[in-house]
Amino acid sequence: MKKELLSGNEAIARGAYEAGVRVASAYPGTPSTEILENIVRYPRIDASWAPNEKVALEVAIGASFGGARALVTMKHVGVNVAADPLFTLSYTGVRGGLVLVTADDPELHSSQNEQDNRHYARAAKLPMFEPADSQEALEMTRLAFEVSERFDTPVMLRTTTRISHSKSVVTVGEPLPELPATSIEKNPPKFVMLPGNARKRHLFVEERMRQLSEWAASQDFNRIEEGKGDIAIITSGVAYNYAREVFPDASILKLGMVHPLPKKLIAEFASRFERVVVIEELDPFIEEQVRAMGIDVCGKDRLPLCGELTPGRIRQALLDGEAPPVAKQAENLPPRPPNMCPGCPHRGVFLALNRLQAYVTGDIGCYTLGFMPPLSAMDTCICMGASIGNAAGLSRVLADEERKKVVAVIGDSTFLHTGVNGLMEMVYNGGAGTVVILDNRITAMTGRQDNPGSGFTLKGEDVPAVDLEQLCRSLGIEHVRVIDPYDLELTRKTLQEEMAREQVSVIITRRPCMLMKRQKVALRPPLHVDPDKCVGCRACLKLGCPAIQWDATAGEKGQARIDSLICVGCAVCEQMCKFEAFGVSHG
């Protein structure tokens, strides 16, 4: 058998290919993004980015109803967006197998919250697999499609950041020789969820979960690893690896399906030991259900509720060990706080908002870093697409002078994700406010994925790009302006004029991301600082550009320097200098 070194995301993509998936849809979001980016390696899968997670799931549902196997992937908060169709899909069931991958992010490496999506499986009454390594990620993806069709249910597969991004050796299998046949099959009692049909399907769902619980108790993915001593451990996912490292001799019940739980298997296992410990990340999801079975277990009374587990944290909590060592920063290693890239077109916008003392309702994207000093120009950030709705709410409660300070800032991809609905609400209900769409032509933060505004598909095919100006005007907005954010004075002046306006207005700041993968960005020579002209006023440092360095030993007050290796020649800093110290480097 062929072996490959795969990340969890790569293994899921491979598993989908082997399972005969015909359609895969997603909205990019760390740590799930690479699943779709790897699925494009398998041409027989129709893979695409959707405008948001709800649409992605709806596309997969349609493919399933046509008889095809379909995969939909998203990060954990994306399931919040997709929850509406997901809960009803649990009732309708599937035709072709349907698997939803939720990539959770304990420790909040790249997320706004730390929600534990195992609760979604329980609330929506769906089976959920949780792999512990890349091999299981592949095998459980394949198995999930079989379970989906056997039990007439969508299946959730939960990963966490460590599983999504860590690599291990995987034995790959052979794909199905032919994809399942597709066709129209009318079955309104199953697929039309009017109350009369839904009541009957609810009974089906409850019976389905009972059967799944019984079936799962005898499957290899829920297995007992016999050990020594009186302590026994129940665990799943990446926590299994940590538990095995800390307690190499303990008996372990490793759960591969975390919902529904194999209660009979758990009861039999726990009855043999004096002390049973549940080791799981985030919420006491398994622990509380085992306690409800009347079994005395411990876990979150000692293990942390927040953040990732590690062997060190488990050892400290359960064995009264020393605190895990904290990595020491090597000498001479410069600090690297999160920052916008050199040449980022968003930098000048946030500088202007700071100087205008705007109250900025922000959104999810690279530009959330506008919160960081020295720009310090973001005051709220809730979730994808929330900035405009937040601004609309503020406009209804503030006096005129304060209302005019409120500016909603949102990226182009996020605007198309769900932000457009907030703008629709603002116009529909007669609101007032200034909306800035930061149009850098890409979904930048998650790795420069295309979106309906970029003009390209996931596979790089040319398609019509959404016209943001026409879209805004079609919603009834009279004042739409497009500016180049590299022009600082124009940016400041435009913001000032629109903030004073009594009606809703939209400013589109258009400049491609400097990391644009198609090289649409014209490269410019780097700038340099003339030491004879730099007086050490530090005005350029207010941009927070990582290409500008400060030499405290130069001149009377210190002087700015340009790192020519990362400067992209955007010349925004040049506009900040009153002493004309910045110039183009020809060296």
Side-chain angles (χ1 to χ4, degrees):
M1 299 292 285
K2 185 179 178 183
K3 295 182 182 296
E4 296 184 14
L5 185 64
L6 299 178
S7 69
N9 283 343
E10 291 168 332
I12 290 170
R14 175 72 194 190
Y17 166 63
E18 294 180 8
V21 165
R22 187 185 290 267
V23 171
S25 186
Y27 183 82
T30 307
S32 69
T33 307
E34 299 84 4
I35 300 173
L36 262 285
E37 290 181 330
N38 278 280
I39 271 187
V40 295
R41 296 166 53 195
Y42 309 109
R44 77 178 189 181
I45 299 178
D46 182 333
S48 59
W49 296 125
N52 63 42
E53 294 85 354
K54 178 175 181 286
V55 175
L57 177 56
E58 290 161 349
V59 169
I61 291 171
S64 169
F65 287 178
R69 287 185 168 181
L71 179 77
V72 58
T73 71
M74 57 197 70
K75 69 180 296 175
H76 62 318
V77 291
V79 181
N80 303 336
V81 182
D84 195 359
L86 179 64
F87 275 63
T88 301
L89 177 64
S90 176
Y91 278 34
T92 66
V94 302
R95 256 191 87 199
L98 189 150
V99 175
L100 186 154
V101 177
T102 169
D104 291 11
D105 189 21
E107 204 75 28
L108 299 103
H109 294 285
S110 184
S111 304
Q112 65 269 42
N113 71 34
E114 207 170 16
Q115 72 188 46
D116 185 336
N117 274 6
R118 292 178 296 177
H119 296 293
Y120 266 114
R122 193 176 184 192
K125 302 180 186 295
L126 299 173
M128 172 180 274
F129 285 102
E130 185 171 25
D133 56 29
S134 297
Q135 183 69 58
E136 287 194 350
L138 186 153
E139 293 172 353
M140 288 182 178
T141 300
R142 288 192 61 149
L143 178 60
F145 283 99
E146 297 173 14
V147 171
S148 176
E149 292 170 355
R150 174 174 176 175
F151 290 93
D152 191 8
T153 177
V155 176
M156 297 184 75
L157 187 144
R158 178 192 187 235
T159 64
T160 56
T161 305
R162 298 296 170 187
I163 298 298
S164 299
H165 289 166
S166 61
K167 293 201 173 190
S168 56
V169 176
V170 176
T171 301
V172 301
E174 293 297 324
L176 294 181
E178 294 183 4
L179 299 181
T182 58
S183 63
I184 289 176
E185 182 179 285
K186 291 195 175 187
N187 190 354
K190 173 175 164 61
F191 294 127
V192 180
M193 283 302 96
L194 291 172
N197 292 335
R199 291 189 189 102
K200 296 172 184 173
R201 292 298 297 181
H202 189 184
L203 297 174
F204 165 81
V205 168
E206 298 301 335
E207 173 59 19
R208 179 182 73 199
M209 296 310 292
R210 187 193 65 75
Q211 292 179 10
L212 271 163
S213 179
E214 286 187 0
W215 173 78
S218 61
Q219 301 304 305
D220 291 341
F221 50 74
N222 292 326
R223 67 173 185 264
I224 295 173
E225 298 176 358
E226 298 290 353
K228 303 174 184 176
D230 296 330
I231 187 171
I233 294 169
I234 301 174
T235 186
S236 68
V238 71
Y240 160 77
N241 301 302
Y242 306 149
R244 177 50 75 202
E245 181 174 335
V246 176
F247 300 98
D249 297 324
S251 294
I252 292 181
L253 170 55
K254 179 189 178 301
L255 300 175
M257 180 179 279
V258 292
H259 190 262
L261 290 179
K263 294 182 177 179
K264 182 178 179 182
L265 181 64
I266 291 172
E268 291 174 354
F269 176 72
S271 67
R272 295 161 43 201
F273 300 94
E274 294 181 1
R275 184 187 181 202
V276 179
V277 182
V278 178
I279 298 178
E280 56 188 327
E281 283 185 330
L282 299 182
D283 296 341
F285 180 81
I286 298 172
E287 180 182 338
E288 287 182 349
Q289 293 184 72
V290 175
R291 284 183 184 278
M293 294 165 57
I295 299 172
D296 185 21
V297 295
C298 63
K300 291 301 178 182
D301 54 332
R302 305 189 68 171
L303 291 164
L305 277 165
C306 305
E308 294 181 307
L309 292 179
T310 66
R313 289 175 179 175
I314 294 173
R315 192 174 290 110
Q316 180 188 24
L318 299 178
L319 297 178
D320 298 323
E322 296 181 357
V326 178
K328 295 181 180 178
Q329 181 173 306
E331 291 185 8
N332 301 323
L333 186 65
R336 295 181 61 195
N339 199 350
M340 295 178 189
C341 300
C344 176
H346 305 332
R347 181 170 281 107
V349 177
F350 285 100
L351 177 74
L353 290 167
N354 177 302
R355 292 186 166 181
L356 291 169
Q357 298 184 326
Y359 185 90
V360 178
T361 58
D363 226 296
I364 305 294
C366 296
Y367 50 89
T368 313
L369 294 173
F371 156 81
M372 298 291 290
L375 297 171
S376 303
M378 186 169 288
D379 299 283
T380 69
C381 179
I382 301 299
C383 67
M384 293 283 288
S387 58
I388 303 176
N390 295 160
L394 280 162
S395 72
R396 296 180 188 180
V397 299
L398 298 178
D400 280 351
E401 285 309 306
E402 282 203 312
R403 180 191 58 73
K404 291 178 179 177
K405 294 182 179 179
V406 178
V407 177
V409 174
I410 189 168
D412 53 337
S413 179
T414 312
F415 178 70
L416 296 172
H417 178 276
T418 42
V420 65
N421 299 290
L423 188 57
M424 200 181 305
E425 195 279 344
M426 187 179 270
V427 175
Y428 173 59
N429 290 303
T434 305
V435 175
V436 178
I437 301 176
L438 305 168
D439 182 10
N440 64 357
R441 313 264 88 191
I442 206 76
T443 308
M445 185 172 70
T446 49
R448 297 165 294 139
Q449 287 76 34
D450 287 299
N451 62 58
S454 70
F456 297 93
T457 67
L458 170 62
K459 295 185 176 180
E461 300 156 332
D462 289 326
V463 289
V466 172
D467 186 324
L468 293 177
E469 299 97 297
Q470 291 301 322
L471 176 58
C472 293
R473 289 196 173 96
S474 74
L475 297 176
I477 297 170
E478 182 179 350
H479 308 286
V480 181
R481 300 173 69 174
V482 181
I483 63 171
D484 181 353
Y486 273 0
D487 187 331
L488 289 185
E489 178 55 24
L490 176 63
T491 301
R492 185 201 63 77
K493 184 171 179 290
T494 305
L495 278 167
Q496 190 172 38
E497 290 173 355
E498 297 306 321
M499 288 170 67
R501 198 180 292 281
E502 298 293 338
Q503 300 83 25
V504 179
S505 65
V506 173
I507 303 169
I508 301 172
T509 63
R510 180 161 294 150
R511 170 70 69 165
C513 172
M514 284 308 302
L515 301 177
M516 199 75 159
K517 53 189 175 186
R518 293 187 180 84
Q519 295 298 312
K520 286 183 176 177
V521 181
L523 298 178
R524 303 179 180 183
L527 272 64
H528 78 286
V529 176
D530 185 341
D532 295 330
K533 294 182 178 179
C534 179
V535 299
C537 69
R538 294 174 176 260
C540 55
L541 299 183
K542 294 177 182 175
L543 284 169
C545 177
I548 303 176
Q549 302 172 347
W550 187 251
D551 183 353
T553 64
E556 296 183 3
K557 301 178 183 177
Q559 289 183 327
R561 297 279 188 268
I562 297 287
D563 184 343
S564 61
L565 292 178
I566 59 175
C567 175
V568 298
C570 70
V572 171
C573 56
E574 189 176 15
Q575 300 170 59
M576 296 285 290
C577 184
K578 298 179 180 178
F579 304 97
E580 299 181 340
F582 287 80
V584 175
S585 175
H586 299 287

